[in-house]
Amino acid sequence: MLPDNLLLTPDSGDVFMDKVRDTARAVKESFTGTEAYSGLTPQELKELIQGVEIFPDKGIGWDEILKRVREMILPHVLKVSSPDYMAHLHSPPLLESVLSELILSAANQSMDSWDQAPVATEVELEVVKTLCDMYGYSPLSDGIFTSGGSQSNLMGITLARDWYCNTHLNHDVKKEGLPENYNKIRIYTSEISHFTVEKSAHLLGLGYKAVRKVKVTPDQKMDISHLKCLIEEDIQKGNLPMLVVATAGTTDYGSIDAIDEIHSITESHNMWIHCDAAYGSGLILSDRYSDRIQHISLCDSVTLDFHKMFLLPISCGAFLLKDGSQFKHLTLHADYLNREEDEEEGYTNLVGKSMQTTRRFDALKVWMCFQSLGKDLLGEVINTTVGNAGFFYNQVKESSDFEAVTVPEISSVVFRYTGKGREGESSDDTNKRVRRALIHDKGIVIGQTVFESDVYLKLTLLNPLVTEKNLLALMDTIRELAI
Ligand SMILES: *Cc1c(COP(=O)(O)O)cnc(C)c1O
């Protein structure tokens, strides 16, 4: 016998409300201190989690499982909303957007076809139009929501490949697979661009070899003269320069490549330019800093992420295309899903533009957040976080026992402690040890990276509730832990 209240029905409404309230209370109660992490080691967590039978014959029921979540999970999740969490491009979600997730999961629309997502399809179409307009694209542009930057980058590189093979080699990759001279195709990106550029080259059958790493200048932007050299060298060798992937906000430094200069080069060689703005896309919200990414409008395609600077819950990303007709390279008609006659009759089946079939209604989060918070408030969020990074950088620069790599353009700062450490310990080891101690002893989580083979620390300041006082206190805590 199946129990009542297995699904959301008119009869289960009250039970649903109770469970939502219980769940919300459990979440609320988990927001206690300010620590970003409880401090448990990987071994301690393993012991905790291995202590329960995951799939018993008879279920333990809602009350019991919620109790376990309250006792075992919530105390040890990383508190992304804590001002002590400054480690990754991983956002503290806006309070209201957490509730958008409840709505979109309850509705459980699938964005592949209109008959699975009628109003949701129309919402996504309108949100995409708004985004195209925000980033300076013409009405010929188009886009699609994705699972995030990795998928958006893969889409950009896929469409660049198919466009290139069509227009330069008169070869249809969709039907014929890779052209004979596929191993001459080249992609250019800076040496600090996201690893998904190489991963995409691998997945697309081009291999890492196809990716030419362009050096960066001391401010961590693509070195334009080196880009020119590499392209010229490849043309000399008979290779096929296809694409430049520019980064608007590198993952570590937030540095923004000179998109306008790169665009002149891609234009003169009739190459595709894709912009990876997974990080920097959020600058568009700010009246003060949006001009830093204004040249995105020149790019053939762009990666946007809303689960980073926009503070929406994972997952939420989009891919925009300057010439929307290029989506044709992805389209495939299935009789049971997206009949060609549907389009003629005004039923949009978004699957034709996506790598996914079943797909989340993530556009709802953007739709709700933009309207609810408006440009003013979202702009203030960005101005605050970018301002914090500038403040921290200045503090580091003025301190004799810290150093930073470069002036932040967005909201991350790569820096290291250079003061006194423990007897016989290298500076790399001091910085590494301090970072671990911050996590396990202080509940403070910050990032770590490498610059010119030295270990550096990193703050990624997405949380607008971090204050200058927090940042000054962090510097003192690092000093204290170092000795
Ligand atoms: C985060 C990031 C990505 C990957 O995006 P996901 O949403 O994590 O898949 C790609 N490029 C850059 C520059 C990023 O910072």
Side-chain angles (χ1 to χ4, degrees):
M1 251 288 272
L2 290 173
D4 296 338
N5 309 322
L6 193 62
L7 305 178
L8 278 169
T9 64
D11 293 336
S12 65
D14 289 340
V15 174
F16 177 67
M17 293 274 286
D18 287 344
K19 290 186 198 293
V20 169
R21 227 173 267 129
D22 291 347
T23 309
R25 188 172 303 119
V27 172
K28 173 187 172 252
E29 283 167 6
S30 73
F31 287 96
T32 47
T34 61
E35 289 93 12
Y37 184 53
S38 65
L40 259 55
T41 63
Q43 195 50 40
E44 287 165 332
L45 281 179
K46 270 194 207 347
E47 277 161 28
L48 175 74
I49 296 302
Q50 287 169 353
V52 298
E53 186 188 358
I54 288 192
F55 200 5
D57 289 336
K58 250 188 170 349
I60 59 174
W62 176 255
D63 291 341
E64 275 306 302
I65 193 59
L66 189 59
K67 184 162 167 271
R68 279 190 194 170
V69 167
R70 222 187 278 124
E71 289 168 359
M72 294 169 57
I73 308 290
L74 290 172
H76 307 296
V77 297
L78 186 88
K79 303 289 191 304
V80 290
S81 303
S82 159
D84 286 347
Y85 180 58
M86 305 177 242
H88 294 278
L89 283 167
H90 179 184
S91 58
L94 296 165
L95 184 148
E96 291 182 357
S97 300
V98 177
L99 303 171
S100 307
E101 284 283 349
L102 177 63
I103 299 172
L104 74 92
S105 293
N108 205 33
Q109 306 294 284
S110 179
M111 303 308 296
D112 35 339
S113 65
W114 195 93
D115 63 2
Q116 298 178 86
V119 71
T121 298
E122 304 302 334
V123 167
E124 178 162 335
L125 287 169
E126 281 310 301
V127 171
V128 163
K129 256 193 228 163
T130 304
L131 294 170
C132 285
D133 191 50
M134 273 167 64
Y135 289 93
Y137 276 175
S138 84
L140 292 177
S141 58
D142 199 357
I144 191 83
F145 270 71
T146 65
S147 60
S150 308
Q151 191 182 54
S152 297
N153 283 347
L154 177 60
M155 288 187 76
I157 299 170
T158 304
L159 293 182
R161 180 198 65 181
D162 292 2
W163 164 85
Y164 182 87
C165 291
N166 254 292
T167 55
H168 288 249
L169 309 175
N170 195 23
H171 180 93
D172 185 350
V173 178
K174 183 153 87 171
K175 298 209 179 92
E176 310 287 338
L178 292 174
E180 233 167 68
N181 47 353
Y182 75 91
N183 59 358
K184 293 192 178 301
I185 289 176
R186 293 293 178 268
I187 297 167
Y188 306 81
T189 193
S190 91
E191 57 189 337
I192 57 166
S193 75
H194 199 260
F195 62 80
T196 47
V197 176
E198 276 167 300
K199 205 173 195 174
S200 301
H202 157 216
L203 295 173
L204 293 170
L206 303 172
Y208 291 172
K209 194 189 85 181
V211 181
R212 309 256 2 223
K213 296 289 188 66
V214 186
K215 286 193 200 127
V216 290
T217 50
D219 54 3
Q220 306 302 307
K221 294 167 187 277
M222 189 187 287
D223 181 334
I224 303 296
S225 55
H226 190 227
L227 170 67
K228 283 186 190 154
C229 276
L230 289 180
I231 293 178
E232 287 307 329
E233 192 182 298
D234 277 323
I235 293 173
Q236 294 293 316
K237 283 191 197 152
N239 288 332
L240 306 171
M242 168 181 90
L243 157 76
V244 178
V245 179
T247 312
T250 54
T251 308
D252 270 349
Y253 307 93
S255 45
I256 300 169
D257 289 341
I259 295 167
D260 51 344
E261 293 177 42
I262 296 170
H263 174 256
S264 322
I265 297 170
T266 55
E267 202 177 30
S268 66
H269 293 286
N270 196 16
M271 297 165 68
W272 186 284
I273 173 170
H274 175 74
C275 178
D276 178 358
Y279 182 5
S281 44
L283 288 180
I284 205 75
L285 298 170
S286 158
D287 49 358
R288 235 179 268 166
Y289 306 114
S290 62
D291 59 344
R292 294 183 182 177
I293 54 162
Q294 61 178 320
H295 296 302
I296 282 179
S297 62
L298 299 171
C299 299
D300 295 298
S301 52
V302 56
T303 289
L304 313 174
D305 253 353
F306 308 106
H307 53 219
K308 291 180 175 172
M309 289 185 90
F310 288 79
L311 309 187
L312 297 183
I314 301 164
S315 58
C316 203
F319 170 75
L320 304 183
L321 199 50
K322 184 153 101 180
D323 170 8
S325 72
Q326 294 298 325
F327 272 124
K328 66 180 182 232
H329 299 297
L330 283 180
T331 310
L332 185 148
H333 287 281
D335 291 335
Y336 67 90
L337 202 58
N338 56 338
R339 295 148 295 263
E340 287 187 64
E341 79 232 27
D342 283 1
E343 304 283 329
E344 289 150 24
E345 291 162 8
Y347 295 89
T348 309
N349 297 314
L350 290 173
V351 69
K353 294 188 279 185
S354 179
M355 292 203 155
Q356 293 167 260
T357 307
T358 302
R359 191 162 57 86
R360 287 162 54 87
F361 181 20
D362 289 320
L364 179 71
K365 290 181 280 192
V366 176
W367 191 81
M368 288 176 67
C369 156
F370 278 12
Q371 292 174 77
S372 174
L373 301 189
K375 287 182 186 151
D376 286 353
L377 188 48
L378 285 170
E380 198 178 326
V381 165
I382 302 299
N383 290 346
T384 306
T385 54
V386 177
N388 275 341
F391 172 82
F392 186 74
Y393 172 78
N394 286 333
Q395 294 303 312
V396 162
K397 237 182 76 182
E398 282 164 22
S399 309
S400 57
D401 51 354
F402 282 92
E403 67 183 22
V405 173
T406 182
V407 187
E409 277 186 284
I410 312 183
S411 53
S412 51
V413 187
V414 176
F415 69 103
R416 72 191 323 231
Y417 173 75
T418 54
K420 208 167 119 45
R422 288 189 184 158
E423 197 61 39
E425 191 180 49
S426 72
S427 182
D428 279 1
D429 287 342
T430 308
N431 280 278
K432 282 197 232 175
R433 182 177 52 74
V434 165
R435 196 184 80 96
R436 281 269 153 78
L438 282 168
I439 299 178
H440 295 291
D441 304 342
K442 306 281 180 185
I444 298 174
V445 185
I446 68 171
Q448 179 183 318
T449 189
V450 170
F451 172 69
E452 291 182 344
S453 4
D454 288 329
V455 171
Y456 272 73
L457 303 172
K458 178 171 85 158
L459 297 192
T460 309
L461 299 165
L462 296 184
N463 185 337
L465 301 184
V466 169
T467 61
E468 295 181 352
K469 206 169 134 213
N470 292 137
L471 296 169
L472 291 172
L474 173 68
M475 289 174 77
D476 283 337
T477 309
I478 291 173
R479 289 180 176 115
E480 179 195 308
L481 292 171
I483 47 174

